[in-house]
Amino acid sequence: MTTTTAPPAGAQTGTPQPASPRKRGNRGTRTPGEGRMAALLLSPTLLVLALVIVYPLLAAVHQSLYRAESGLDADGFVADVESFVGLANYADLFVGETGRRFLNALGNTTFFTVTTVFLETVLGLCLALAMNRAFRGRSFLRASILVPWAVPTAVSGLLWRWIFQSDGIANTLLGSEILWTAEGNASRAAIIIAEVWKTAPFIGLLVLAGMQVIPGEVYEAAKIDGAGWWRQLGSITLPLVKPTLLVAVLFRMLDALRMFDLPFVLIGPGKESVETLSMLAWDESNQLRYGSASAFAIMLFLYVAVVAIVFVKVLGADVTGAKELKLISKKSRSKATRTEKAEATR
């Protein structure tokens, strides 16, 4: 009678045992040394940001609480001194002549921003669709579209001022004598035309970059399903290019809200029909009224900040690429999990 003895625990057998799954480390934890190294590497950038952004902003807020008034200096002579007035400069933005100019500049800034960005978005999207198609001369088209964006704004303003002169090209083509650089709606139209001509290629190039990453197989599948060009545009192109388009529109809106050089060069200062908040702040500082100028600048800063927050938080504009990084990280973790499960079942 033969007896079979079971192998002792831990002994090797001919049948391979399933490997125990490896424990994944906590990716969110970091050692104190890593935190100090990260702070050390970021300190030059934070120092530069503090010098060029935080300090000027705090200085502007401090200056907006003061106002130049006539008084007696230490020697008893009459001189302009800076007096603390609290929020009086901000209260003046909504009353009297200062309030009228502020509301007019705020309306002009909003009007130019909404109008130009809308036209630039439509035209930029059309340019991107044209540049995305394969045809002879596409490289020349892409290079030529860059020319308006590469021209400095001051040079562009001088160019369009020459076009919109009373005896310029614009009136010659229209057969009229419109005073483009004077007060009124004609000057607003001149600003819009010049701004759209210069900055529509910026949106077009960003949208083109978003279109380039769309897989061609998606369009091939849509063609097999019988989808036409308009159906592909509404169901594939626009939804997939939406994140890039939102970022492009956000950048253009922030730039348009701070519009100064184009209307200043093309039309000139002191024109109520085209005066923006940046031009108003410059005019106040040019008159040595630094308190009210700082108040105008702070209000413009708050306006720009609100627009940026709405785009990022409400509309979901991925400015920093954080959503893309989260998606990539999620895919990597999912792939690692599947790999570990496959190794565990071998």
Side-chain angles (χ1 to χ4, degrees):
M1 183 174 181
T2 305
T3 60
T4 305
T5 306
Q12 297 291 336
T13 61
T15 304
Q17 300 296 325
S20 59
R22 293 175 295 179
K23 295 182 179 180
R24 299 172 56 189
N26 190 356
R27 300 175 182 266
T29 60
R30 63 180 63 177
T31 62
E34 292 178 348
R36 288 193 296 268
M37 178 60 68
L40 181 62
L41 294 176
L42 290 176
S43 57
T45 302
L46 297 178
L47 179 61
V48 172
L49 291 178
L51 290 176
V52 302
I53 296 179
V54 178
Y55 175 73
L57 179 61
L58 295 179
V61 173
H62 178 267
Q63 185 66 45
S64 66
L65 304 179
Y66 289 81
R67 179 182 297 169
E69 296 178 350
S70 297
L72 299 179
D73 59 9
D75 298 327
F77 295 98
V78 178
D80 291 335
V81 295
E82 293 286 336
S83 302
F84 180 79
V85 294
L87 300 178
N89 288 325
Y90 294 96
D92 291 342
L93 298 181
F94 304 98
V95 295
E97 179 64 19
T98 303
R100 188 191 65 82
R101 292 189 64 188
F102 170 73
L103 295 178
N104 175 71
L106 179 63
N108 290 336
T109 302
T110 305
F111 172 76
F112 286 137
T113 300
V114 174
T115 307
T116 57
V117 172
F118 173 77
L119 295 177
E120 289 163 8
T121 302
V122 175
L123 183 57
L125 184 60
C126 294
L127 292 175
L129 291 172
M131 292 185 292
N132 195 42
R133 300 179 65 89
F135 60 92
R136 180 175 297 180
R138 183 175 63 174
S139 300
F140 175 77
L141 176 62
R142 292 181 177 181
S144 61
I145 285 177
L146 279 173
V147 174
W149 175 250
V151 175
T153 307
V155 178
S156 176
L158 291 175
L159 171 65
W160 283 99
R161 186 178 181 87
W162 175 68
I163 293 175
F164 287 127
Q165 286 180 349
S166 58
D167 56 348
I169 300 176
N171 285 340
T172 302
L173 294 176
L174 296 176
S176 61
E177 295 184 358
I178 301 176
L179 299 178
W180 297 96
T181 57
E183 287 280 6
N185 294 327
S187 59
R188 292 185 176 184
I191 294 295
I192 293 173
I193 293 173
E195 182 72 7
V196 171
W197 173 82
K198 176 174 174 53
T199 53
F202 172 77
I203 294 183
L205 292 174
L206 288 184
V207 174
L208 175 64
M211 291 181 179
Q212 294 292 312
V213 300
I214 300 177
E217 294 81 2
V218 179
Y219 291 102
E220 294 296 334
K223 291 179 181 178
I224 294 175
D225 293 338
W229 186 85
W230 287 104
R231 183 67 179 275
Q232 295 178 26
L233 177 64
S235 301
I236 299 176
T237 305
L238 292 181
L240 294 181
V241 86
K242 177 184 175 182
T244 306
L245 184 60
L246 282 178
V247 174
V249 171
L250 173 60
F251 286 168
R252 274 302 307 136
M253 289 195 71
L254 298 183
D255 196 20
L257 287 172
R258 296 178 283 108
M259 184 184 298
F260 172 80
D261 41 5
L262 183 63
F264 186 88
V265 175
L266 178 56
I267 306 300
K271 304 293 181 63
E272 291 187 359
S273 57
V274 297
E275 189 175 47
T276 62
L277 288 176
S278 297
M279 297 176 67
L280 183 57
W282 172 86
D283 184 65
E284 287 292 301
S285 63
N286 196 41
Q287 302 296 328
L288 303 182
R289 294 190 288 265
Y290 299 113
S292 58
S294 299
F296 289 135
I298 294 299
M299 294 301 294
L300 177 59
F301 168 77
L302 295 177
Y303 192 7
V304 172
V306 168
V307 172
I309 292 173
V310 169
F311 262 80
V312 174
K313 297 297 183 181
V314 179
L315 299 180
D318 188 15
V319 180
T320 61
K323 294 181 181 179
E324 187 69 20
L325 290 177
K326 289 181 180 179
L327 181 61
I328 294 175
S329 178
K330 184 178 180 181
K331 289 182 179 180
S332 300
R333 290 195 299 267
S334 178
K335 183 178 180 180
T337 303
R338 291 195 301 266
T339 302
E340 293 176 357
K341 290 183 179 178
E343 292 178 354
T345 56
R346 290 178 182 175

